[in-house]
């Protein structure tokens, strides 16, 4: 088992293990419990996750799309204030083949695990035999306190990454944001486009996101944009960058007979050279679906209307953390 961490082998830790796609409100509730148990056991709260996404190894026949890249996931988890370190396990067919007992044995050989907090429906190991009952038995045999947590519910439905992915894919970003506890975000390097936006009088930053990143449905969105001249979310650009209001279009631009799906961000009331910058877009509200317009003037009029609507919506919302 290969992994990446800054932990030493001698530090007492309390861990939670999982994919944690999105770090949604249910995950955050679990991390809060992790932090509390770590304080009780005088240990460091640690999130254990995997790269690549486990389904890319377990189900190579499907195209995996995730709410958060690894870097985004770790950043959001750290910003929650509930974890102090991470262990990122390189997920391979060999790791997937480990029994739950062998998986836990390998972790315990490398780290001083004093406690675990997992979801009530959690399982790990080959054939998913490492459920809560197994972990509690394992914990009794190895001096590890194991707690299970029921993930939060909303509207009589359990908050799940699957449900949130459905909302995002349908463009329902406001409901997705509510369940996430933070805005849906898409980050990427700004690349050169065909500069049609500049010709229209609404220059856009063309973002190249991770190819497996789940994008909101095609359409136009009110958004906030954070900018970092360094590449990648690990630069923590959101913590050091001013925030800009924006209008973001996702789609193929049917008015111009486009074929490639693009993410284009227009900053409201700001003119910046963003080429080669890493930007993070937070989606606040959906304004409309993608449309084909009869001509350039009709499109320009609609973009102006979209911009005014976005200004109004964003003025009513406080800047996200």
């Amino acid at each position: 088992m290969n992994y990446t961490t800054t932990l030493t082998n001698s530090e007492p830790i309390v861990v939670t293990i999982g994919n944690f796609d999105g770090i949604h409100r249910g995950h955050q509730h679990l991390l809060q419990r992790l932090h509390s148990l770590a304080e009780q056991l005088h240990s460091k709260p640690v999130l254990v996750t995997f790269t690549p996404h486990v389904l890319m190894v377990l189900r190579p026949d499907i195209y995996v799309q995730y709410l958060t890249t690894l870097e985004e996931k770790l950043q959001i988890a750290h910003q929650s204030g509930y974890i102090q370190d991470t262990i990122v396990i390189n997920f391979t067919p060999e790791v997937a083949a480990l029994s739950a007992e062998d998986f836990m044995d390998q972790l315990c050989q490398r780290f001083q695990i004093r406690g675990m907090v997992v979801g009530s429906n959690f399982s790990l190991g080959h054939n998913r035999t490492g459920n809560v009952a197994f972990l509690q038995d394992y914990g009794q045999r190895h001096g590890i306190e194991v707690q299970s947590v029921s993930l939060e519910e909303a509207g009589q439905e359990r908050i799940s990454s699957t449900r949130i992915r459905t909302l995002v894919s349908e463009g329902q970003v406001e409901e997705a944001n509510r369940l996430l506890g933070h805005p849906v975000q898409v980050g990427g390097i700004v690349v050169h486009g065909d500069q049609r936006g500049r010709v229209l009088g609404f220059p856009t930053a063309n973002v190249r996101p991770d190819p497996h990143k789940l994008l909101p449905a095609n359409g136009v969105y009110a958004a906030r944009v954070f900018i970092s001249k360094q590449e990648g979310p690990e630069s923590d650009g959101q913590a050091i960058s001013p925030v800009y209001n924006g209008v973001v279009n996702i789609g193929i631009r049917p008015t111009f007979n486009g074929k490639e799906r693009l993410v284009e961000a227009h900053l409201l009331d700001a003119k910046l050279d963003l080429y080669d910058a890493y930007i993070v877009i937070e989606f606040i509200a959906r304004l409309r679906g993608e449309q084909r317009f009869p001509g350039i003037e009709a499109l320009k009029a609609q973009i102006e209307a979209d911009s005014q609507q976005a200004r109004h919506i964003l003025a009513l919302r406080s800047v996200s953390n």
Side-chain angles (χ1 to χ4, degrees):
M1 184 189 294
N2 295 317
Y3 55 86
T4 302
T5 187
T6 61
L7 288 165
T8 65
N9 293 357
S10 60
E11 293 178 271
I13 62 174
V14 173
V15 302
T16 185
I17 305 172
N19 283 314
F20 299 105
D21 190 23
I23 307 287
H24 56 61
R25 279 171 40 203
H27 295 144
Q28 292 163 34
H29 177 59
L30 188 151
L31 294 181
Q32 187 176 21
R33 286 283 298 274
L34 176 76
H35 187 268
S36 296
L37 180 59
E39 286 188 327
Q40 293 172 27
L41 299 179
H42 306 289
S43 301
K44 181 178 286 189
V46 175
L47 180 144
V48 180
T49 192
F50 307 93
T51 188
H53 192 288
V54 297
L55 287 180
M56 290 182 176
V57 175
L58 299 175
R59 292 290 307 278
D61 54 311
I62 65 173
Y63 189 77
V64 175
Q65 291 185 292
Y66 34 67
L67 292 167
T68 43
T69 65
L70 174 65
E71 293 81 9
E72 291 166 348
K73 182 192 308 181
L74 298 184
Q75 183 184 64
I76 295 167
H78 277 292
Q79 289 176 341
S80 74
Y82 296 131
I83 69 166
Q84 293 180 17
D85 213 321
T86 58
I87 300 170
V88 179
I89 296 172
N90 183 24
F91 196 75
T92 63
E94 292 74 21
V95 173
L98 290 173
S99 68
E101 186 93 15
D102 287 341
F103 182 92
M104 290 302 303
D105 284 348
Q106 289 207 25
L107 268 187
C108 290
Q109 286 167 12
R110 290 163 170 78
F111 301 102
Q112 301 297 319
I113 300 176
R114 298 286 184 261
M116 288 185 68
V117 178
V118 296
S120 54
N121 63 342
F122 176 82
S123 61
L124 60 74
H126 186 60
N127 292 328
R128 303 177 67 86
T129 56
N131 56 19
V132 172
F134 162 82
L135 290 175
Q136 289 174 335
D137 175 70
Y138 187 93
Q140 287 180 349
R141 289 185 280 121
H142 293 84
I144 300 171
E145 182 170 342
V146 177
Q147 295 183 359
S148 66
V149 177
S150 295
L151 298 185
E152 289 185 294
E153 294 186 356
Q156 306 305 311
E157 293 182 273
R158 188 171 62 88
I159 298 175
S160 71
S161 299
T162 300
R163 181 183 174 196
I164 297 169
R165 279 192 290 270
T166 298
L167 291 169
V168 172
S169 65
E170 294 173 350
Q172 299 185 53
V173 296
E174 291 183 84
E175 176 64 6
N177 292 349
R178 188 179 68 81
L179 297 183
L180 283 167
H182 56 81
V184 172
Q185 62 174 248
V186 172
I189 300 294
V190 177
V191 298
H192 289 268
D194 57 19
Q195 299 195 338
R196 287 192 188 275
R198 192 177 302 276
V199 173
L200 292 171
F202 297 92
T204 59
N206 297 279
V207 180
R208 181 175 290 159
D210 181 304
H212 289 276
K213 175 79 174 188
L214 177 65
L215 300 178
N218 288 0
V220 180
Y221 297 84
R224 290 198 171 92
V225 181
F226 298 83
I227 302 162
S228 172
K229 288 296 182 182
Q230 302 178 41
E231 293 188 11
E234 65 276 7
S235 64
D236 200 19
Q238 288 172 275
I240 62 174
S241 168
V243 58
Y244 296 91
N245 289 336
V247 176
V248 176
N249 182 78
I250 299 179
I252 61 171
R253 301 183 299 174
T255 304
F256 300 108
N257 298 312
K259 298 292 187 290
E260 181 185 5
R261 194 178 188 212
L262 301 175
V263 179
E264 302 174 287
H266 168 66
L267 301 186
L268 297 172
D269 311 311
K271 294 183 179 180
L272 300 172
D273 179 4
L274 297 178
Y275 288 125
D276 300 322
Y278 188 95
I279 72 172
V280 176
I281 299 167
E282 290 187 344
F283 292 83
I284 305 302
R286 192 169 197 243
L287 304 181
R288 60 177 175 87
E290 188 171 41
Q291 298 172 240
R292 179 188 291 273
F293 293 90
I296 298 299
E297 292 306 314
L299 174 58
K300 289 172 66 175
Q302 183 60 58
I303 295 174
E304 181 58 45
D306 293 338
S307 299
Q308 288 299 107
Q309 186 181 0
R311 284 188 184 91
H312 177 70
I313 290 172
L314 295 169
L316 297 177
R317 312 287 176 92
S318 61
V319 174
S320 60
N321 293 323

